[in-house]
Amino acid sequence: MQSFALSTIFILISLSSLSIVVSSSKPLNPCNDDFLHIQAYKQMQNQTNTTQCKKLSSLQAQFAWNYHKTSHNQTQLNILIGTKLITTTGWLAWGINPDLPRMVGTRAIIAVKVPSQITPSVNTYNITKDIQLGCKLQPSGIDFMVQNMTVVDDKDVGFFSVFATLVLPQRYNVSSLNHVWQVGYCVDGLEPKMHEASLGNLDSKEILDLETGDCQNIGQHRRHMRKVHGILNIIGWGTLLPIGVIVARYFKQFPIKLDPCWYYFHYSCQVVGYILGTAGWGLGLFLGHESKYYTFHSHRVLGICIFGFTTLQVTQILAFQFKPTQEDEYRKHWNVYHHFLGYALLVMIPVNIYKGIKLLKPDNITWKWTYNGILVLLGVVVLAFEILTWAVFLYKKCCKKTVEESSPRRVEIEEDSKGQTNEGSSPRKTEVEE
């Protein structure tokens, strides 16, 4: 059974890795008509017919660019990025990172939209580690020239967009440009404040080939890993562990006794569920390490507690020497402890799975309804067995009472040999059935 679980894990991870490799280089996903009708995009097309445009993978952002080499062997890059920022307050950022596809170290252009200004402001910024930790974000110079920064808030089509011309030195490789983007809805004066800590914000980064438009989508890789993480935990901890509890409750002794088959099935469900859940938990730790600036604390803490509790439960099953025998005086205390951990897990596991599903918004509807279906199915099974348990219990109780009432009662009558009780004589006992 354990070898089967390990094979299942290997197949799931292999399929996930294959899908990641297939999706690592994706063709252009064309922009929609609203974005293509922005005046800035039309001007870019008029300048050169090599303008390319694509939908970015998150935050409903769309991106257009063209470039050419200058006489000084530099790259002049024209960019246009836009998103559906329909609120009265917010900001849009785009930038490039010479080292890695991440926010820390990015040279960014940020446009800030506030109700008190007719024209949004736009400046360049250096995104440092201190900014990620909550320090104030102020405009600053960056290590390449930026010209013609323009912000357009087109309320007719709903796009908030930024246009700029960049002159990039040789260290920025146009065949693998690390570019990132962000959207936020909170500002303090003209200072952009921290954006939401959603997975969409976390995934807003790519390695883009400006010539072909192909990209290595870092966020797409993480999305595939999250899918495997979710599938393993839903199957392992969210399905198999509850099935093991159901088997132990309803097939151990009452109402249906399947001894010793119930124990082997209970053991198999718990061990296989533990292996799959632990694999998913380990993958979740890896994802958390990869995004150390965006930690989902409650989901993480509950996951650690679930792993700890399930480890204690499975260790007791595997290590028989730790389990008291039926005759041991400590067995009842062990049972209370074992049942407490089991029922605590039945509460914690669905709560944490729903927390994880919530993080996947807006693409979490299928996950939510799938797990809803699993819980409903398990709930129907439990309800059916509870009804059966009480029916059998009441039936046996009624039968026992009926048998007791119909059985003969014996009355002892003391008589002496003459039918009278004499002083000093020992009485006889006769039994009369009534």
Side-chain angles (χ1 to χ4, degrees):
M1 187 64 71
Q2 295 183 27
S3 61
F4 170 75
L6 293 173
S7 301
T8 305
I9 295 171
F10 177 76
I11 292 171
L12 287 171
I13 295 177
S14 299
L15 290 174
S16 173
S17 302
L18 178 62
S19 63
I20 289 173
V21 171
V22 171
S23 64
S24 62
S25 181
K26 298 181 66 178
L28 287 178
N29 185 9
C31 298
N32 62 32
D33 291 338
D34 289 342
F35 188 76
L36 297 178
H37 283 88
I38 294 175
Q39 187 63 32
Y41 179 77
K42 293 179 180 179
Q43 291 175 354
M44 290 176 65
Q45 277 192 313
N46 292 336
Q47 293 173 358
T48 174
N49 58 5
T50 60
T51 298
Q52 300 191 67
C53 188
K54 61 173 288 188
K55 291 180 181 177
L56 298 177
S57 59
S58 66
L59 305 179
Q60 296 182 313
Q62 304 191 43
F63 182 62
W65 75 94
N66 59 50
Y67 76 99
H68 68 273
K69 291 291 184 178
T70 67
S71 57
H72 300 288
N73 203 27
Q74 294 178 319
T75 303
Q76 181 172 314
L77 172 64
N78 298 313
I79 64 100
L80 174 67
I81 183 168
T83 188
K84 295 278 188 177
L85 188 65
I86 58 176
T87 57
T88 58
T89 302
W91 54 268
L92 170 65
W94 178 88
I96 53 180
N97 192 319
D99 302 317
L100 293 169
R102 64 181 185 183
M103 190 62 68
V104 175
T106 294
R107 284 68 163 159
I109 302 168
I110 304 180
V112 180
K113 175 183 179 182
V114 293
S116 59
Q117 285 191 337
I118 299 175
T119 303
S121 65
V122 58
N123 277 295
T124 58
Y125 298 78
N126 276 302
I127 311 300
T128 64
K129 184 183 296 185
D130 296 334
I131 303 301
Q132 288 278 38
L133 296 175
C135 292
K136 194 171 184 179
L137 179 60
Q138 295 287 355
S140 60
I142 55 180
D143 61 358
F144 54 82
M145 186 185 302
V146 181
Q147 303 170 333
N148 305 324
M149 289 189 295
T150 308
V151 183
V152 179
D153 187 10
D154 193 334
K155 296 181 174 58
D156 294 333
V157 296
F159 268 98
F160 183 74
S161 55
V162 178
F163 172 83
T165 299
L166 288 59
V167 182
L168 302 178
Q170 294 183 15
R171 65 179 298 202
Y172 292 91
N173 187 356
V174 296
S175 63
S176 57
L177 192 69
N178 303 315
H179 83 117
V180 299
W181 62 97
Q182 275 298 346
V183 175
Y185 298 97
C186 185
V187 298
D188 183 6
L190 293 177
E191 179 195 354
K193 304 302 289 184
M194 187 65 182
H195 57 75
E196 294 181 1
S198 69
L199 296 179
N201 296 92
L202 178 62
D203 293 340
S204 56
K205 58 198 72 173
E206 288 179 347
I207 301 175
L208 178 64
D209 186 337
L210 294 179
E211 184 175 357
T212 63
D214 293 337
C215 69
Q216 184 181 350
N217 194 325
I218 309 301
Q220 187 73 10
H221 295 180
R222 290 201 177 113
R223 279 193 288 274
H224 282 283
M225 295 177 71
R226 288 186 204 113
K227 287 180 181 178
V228 176
H229 165 71
I231 290 171
L232 289 174
N233 286 143
I234 287 176
I235 294 176
W237 285 344
T239 305
L240 290 177
L241 291 188
I243 289 176
V245 174
I246 291 172
V247 170
R249 177 172 173 80
Y250 297 108
F251 294 93
K252 180 179 180 180
Q253 187 73 31
F254 192 84
I256 302 172
K257 185 175 181 180
L258 295 177
D259 197 18
C261 296
W262 76 268
Y263 178 77
Y264 296 122
F265 197 80
H266 172 71
Y267 167 87
S268 301
C269 285
Q270 301 301 88
V271 171
V272 175
Y274 176 76
I275 293 173
L276 294 177
T278 300
W281 177 76
L283 191 55
L285 288 183
F286 174 77
L287 288 168
H289 176 74
E290 288 292 297
S291 57
K292 57 183 178 180
Y293 294 106
Y294 305 97
T295 302
F296 306 102
H297 295 284
S298 58
H299 185 60
R300 182 187 183 94
V301 170
L302 276 174
I304 293 173
C305 292
I306 289 169
F307 171 74
F309 282 12
T310 51
T311 299
L312 287 174
Q313 294 286 74
V314 173
T315 300
Q316 295 171 70
I317 294 176
L318 295 178
F320 292 100
Q321 62 269 25
F322 293 133
K323 183 177 180 179
T325 61
Q326 293 287 354
E327 296 76 19
D328 198 312
E329 61 177 325
Y330 295 107
R331 178 58 182 258
K332 62 179 181 179
H333 303 296
W334 184 91
N335 285 338
V336 171
Y337 155 75
H338 185 67
H339 292 162
F340 171 77
L341 285 186
Y343 289 120
L345 283 170
L346 289 183
V347 175
M348 289 166 46
I349 287 172
V351 169
N352 206 34
I353 288 177
Y354 276 118
K355 280 185 174 292
I357 290 174
K358 186 178 179 181
L359 297 176
L360 298 174
K361 63 179 183 181
D363 304 321
N364 60 352
I365 302 300
T366 302
W367 289 89
K368 184 177 180 180
W369 284 107
T370 299
Y371 191 58
N372 285 347
I374 292 173
L375 288 186
V376 168
L377 181 60
L378 292 174
V380 168
V381 171
V382 169
L383 180 62
F385 277 116
E386 278 296 316
I387 293 174
L388 177 62
T389 299
W390 282 99
V392 172
F393 172 75
L394 294 175
Y395 174 76
K396 288 185 176 181
K397 187 175 181 180
C398 291
C399 289
K400 182 178 179 181
K401 185 177 180 181
T402 303
V403 170
E404 289 177 350
E405 290 177 349
S406 61
S407 61
R409 292 186 295 119
R410 299 183 177 275
V411 180
E412 295 181 348
I413 302 176
E414 295 183 350
E415 295 179 339
D416 59 7
S417 58
K418 297 180 180 180
Q420 296 178 351
T421 303
N422 298 325
E423 184 178 354
S425 64
S426 58
R428 289 186 300 109
K429 294 183 180 180
T430 60
E431 296 182 347
V432 180
E433 292 187 356
E434 291 183 345

